[in-house]
Amino acid sequence: MTKSNEFSQLDAPLEVSTSPALRFEVFARCSTTKARASKMHLPHYTAHTPMFMPVGTMGSIKGITTKQLEALDCHVILGNTYHLGSRPGPELLEKAGGLHKFMAWNRSLLTDSGGFQMVSLLRLANITEEGVEFENPHDGKKMMLTPEMSIGLQNAIGADIMMQLDDVVSSLTVGPRVEEAMQRSVRWLDRSIKAHKRPTEQNLFPIVQGGLDERLRTISAQELVKRDSPGYAIGGLSGGEAKGSFWRMVSLSTDILPTNKPRYCMGVGYAEDLVVCSALGVDMYDCVFPTRTARFGNALVRTGSLSLRQGKYKDDFTPIDKDCDCSTCTNYTRAYLHNSVAKETTGCHLVTIHNIAFQMRLMCDIRRAIICNRFPAFIRDFMKTRFGTTAPFWIVDSLKSVNVDLTVPDETGYSVTPIEDDFQKEPNW
């Protein structure tokens, strides 16, 4: 893939924020939506936003080398603090000089706090003001993860961006537990800031919480802004909640968070979500979906995805996507991939390359559309290809909130009819 250079014709940024280990420059704003295109200067690389970050749980993406990731023009990849803290462990990473050197990655890294894994993957014993007590899956012993421990692990890992440990609750949780978790997360943020030993080399992002409660989300975002962090994350979503609630919480958060700081919506990776959330003012995303679905033989395209295991592809000698210049689409056919994804890992690795390339190209197209001030037209073209003449209500409503009304015909006569489904697998013509 060609390295993105969409900012080459722009001179001075419109807005800037400078922190010891991060400089964020907003170069273009959409005149209709809340979207913006920016450069985020980090210790190891200058990332272009809006951007998608592939997830490398253990410091690697299955079947993909760091050189291949560079060739795909990935600017930042995400590592998992819990898993990296267990293996290879902080002592070895410190001896290696940090995760960048250990995995031979010269660009930027972001690490999560490990808190989500405590809740979602492990048998929880207890959450207290001290931290998260859990059962170690390797030996069954009770362990405690505190904000200080999480930051210590992330300081050893050496990522450009670290996340605070937050009190994670399901997005479907209601009642007093949601407010308790939100308020505790703010207190844990203050402990994380105090424990951070490398503020001139690593950035600590706090996480907006509050479930689906507008009042709690507002309080959380306002409290975090008081800390004047290098950037901010929007967490506690993409957990099975209705998409109508999801987008409203994202938009509420971006309305409060500073306009001159990066905004990171955690756990978002579906193509339509990336387009919508960029219109709502988000700059950064991560999700396991593109790489995980590739391991099941599913290739991402603008109309949705192709299940290459299906028999209809056994004698299809076209590439996954004729407009994609990744090494998979340049060299392999759907027929070859159909034959290999079901029988060996090579096919899954090739689809992984394509899916990452798809995400990178989509984000580059979004940035270019914002810079050229044609993002609303891009949104319409994307939705027309992705959905056809019907689209989920939540997409129509979210875009209408930022002045893009898909129900009103454009100059070509294209418009959509809203439907109740949160997800629509194939375009409906």
Side-chain angles (χ1 to χ4, degrees):
M1 288 184 66
T2 304
K3 179 178 170 59
S4 54
N5 62 350
E6 60 272 11
F7 293 91
S8 59
Q9 302 301 314
L10 300 178
D11 297 322
L14 304 175
E15 195 169 16
V16 176
S17 69
T18 302
S19 302
L22 188 155
R23 178 177 170 86
F24 189 68
E25 301 173 329
V26 179
F27 276 90
R29 289 194 186 92
C30 175
S31 60
T32 302
T33 71
K34 294 192 284 183
R36 69 264 190 88
S38 310
K39 286 185 178 182
M40 182 167 60
H41 301 274
L42 294 164
H44 290 87
Y45 201 72
T46 295
H48 296 177
T49 71
M51 70 169 175
F52 178 81
M53 302 176 288
V55 178
T57 301
M58 303 283 290
S60 64
I61 295 172
K62 288 183 175 65
I64 306 296
T65 68
T66 52
K67 288 299 181 184
Q68 287 174 309
L69 289 171
E70 284 188 23
L72 292 167
D73 202 27
C74 295
H75 295 181
V76 183
I77 59 177
L78 188 141
N80 182 283
T81 296
Y82 165 72
H83 291 291
L84 290 167
S86 299
R87 190 180 62 187
E91 295 82 8
L92 183 59
L93 287 173
E94 285 184 324
K95 287 181 181 178
L99 184 59
H100 284 91
K101 291 183 178 179
F102 188 70
M103 63 184 290
W105 175 246
N106 297 320
R107 298 187 179 186
S108 292
L109 288 168
L110 182 149
T111 45
D112 62 11
S113 66
F116 178 77
Q117 283 67 39
M118 303 302 100
V119 176
S120 64
L121 302 180
L122 306 173
R123 289 192 294 173
L124 263 184
N126 198 16
I127 298 177
T128 68
E129 193 62 28
E130 182 182 0
V132 183
E133 187 183 34
F134 63 96
E135 185 177 288
N136 189 314
H138 301 294
D139 58 18
K141 293 181 180 179
K142 293 291 179 65
M143 298 183 64
M144 174 70 74
L145 181 70
T146 66
E148 293 80 7
M149 290 173 61
S150 175
I151 293 300
L153 286 170
Q154 294 185 80
N155 279 157
I157 292 168
D160 301 66
I161 299 173
M162 312 183 301
M163 306 308 301
Q164 73 154 113
L165 180 66
D166 52 346
D167 186 352
V168 181
V169 296
S170 166
S171 60
L172 304 179
T173 301
V174 296
R177 176 71 181 99
V178 180
E179 182 161 10
E180 175 191 54
M182 183 274 289
Q183 296 286 5
R184 180 174 287 143
S185 293
V186 175
R187 295 191 295 272
W188 283 2
L189 169 61
D190 290 334
R191 288 168 58 186
S192 298
I193 293 171
K194 187 176 180 180
H196 185 13
K197 303 301 183 186
R198 301 175 63 186
T200 62
E201 302 166 272
Q202 295 176 274
N203 300 282
L204 174 59
F205 280 22
I207 304 173
V208 178
Q209 290 289 356
L212 304 180
D213 187 305
E214 291 187 6
R215 180 183 69 87
L216 297 181
R217 283 265 164 191
T218 298
I219 293 171
S220 176
Q222 290 173 341
E223 284 296 318
L224 302 192
V225 170
K226 293 177 184 177
R227 275 70 178 175
D228 193 27
S229 298
Y232 300 87
I234 302 167
L237 299 173
S238 298
E241 73 277 1
K243 299 292 273 190
S245 299
F246 162 79
W247 79 259
R248 286 179 172 86
M249 295 302 101
V250 171
S251 190
L252 181 151
S253 301
T254 59
D255 281 343
I256 298 170
L257 296 174
T259 59
N260 65 338
K261 302 284 185 76
R263 305 158 178 162
Y264 163 33
C265 195
M266 306 175 78
V268 170
Y270 294 130
E272 55 266 33
D273 293 8
L274 298 173
V275 173
V276 168
C277 288
S278 294
L280 298 177
V282 176
D283 306 296
M284 304 164 59
Y285 311 92
D286 81 282
C287 190
V288 298
F289 166 70
T291 49
R292 179 174 290 171
T293 199
R295 296 196 289 273
F296 293 93
N298 299 316
L300 302 180
V301 292
R302 289 287 172 100
T303 54
S305 67
L306 307 178
S307 180
L308 294 171
R309 291 175 180 245
Q310 293 181 359
K312 64 181 179 180
Y313 297 113
K314 66 183 176 64
D315 53 3
D316 185 341
F317 295 100
T318 62
I320 293 172
D321 183 347
K322 63 180 178 59
D323 297 320
C324 179
D325 64 354
C326 77
S327 58
T328 300
C329 289
T330 302
N331 295 292
Y332 300 95
T333 65
R334 296 177 180 183
Y336 173 79
L337 295 168
H338 164 78
N339 185 68
S340 60
V341 293
K343 299 177 182 179
E344 54 186 77
T345 59
T346 301
C348 296
H349 297 165
L350 292 172
V351 179
T352 298
I353 288 172
H354 166 78
N355 283 1
I356 294 175
F358 173 87
Q359 299 289 95
M360 298 301 110
R361 189 171 69 255
L362 172 61
M363 302 315 297
C364 185
D365 289 347
I366 289 173
R367 293 192 298 267
R368 286 174 174 160
I370 295 168
I371 289 169
C372 296
N373 201 25
R374 54 177 181 82
F375 188 50
F378 172 86
I379 293 172
R380 286 182 172 273
D381 288 344
F382 175 87
M383 296 301 171
K384 182 177 181 180
T385 301
R386 175 66 185 88
F387 294 112
T389 57
T390 63
F393 258 111
W394 77 269
I395 289 179
V396 174
D397 290 343
S398 62
L399 293 173
K400 191 179 293 186
S401 77
V402 286
N403 309 306
V404 178
D405 191 344
L406 297 180
T407 66
V408 175
D410 61 15
E411 62 273 11
T412 69
Y414 172 71
S415 64
V416 304
T417 300
I419 58 173
E420 293 293 341
D421 293 345
D422 274 358
F423 300 97
Q424 181 179 318
K425 290 185 177 181
E426 300 291 340
N428 184 358
W429 294 102

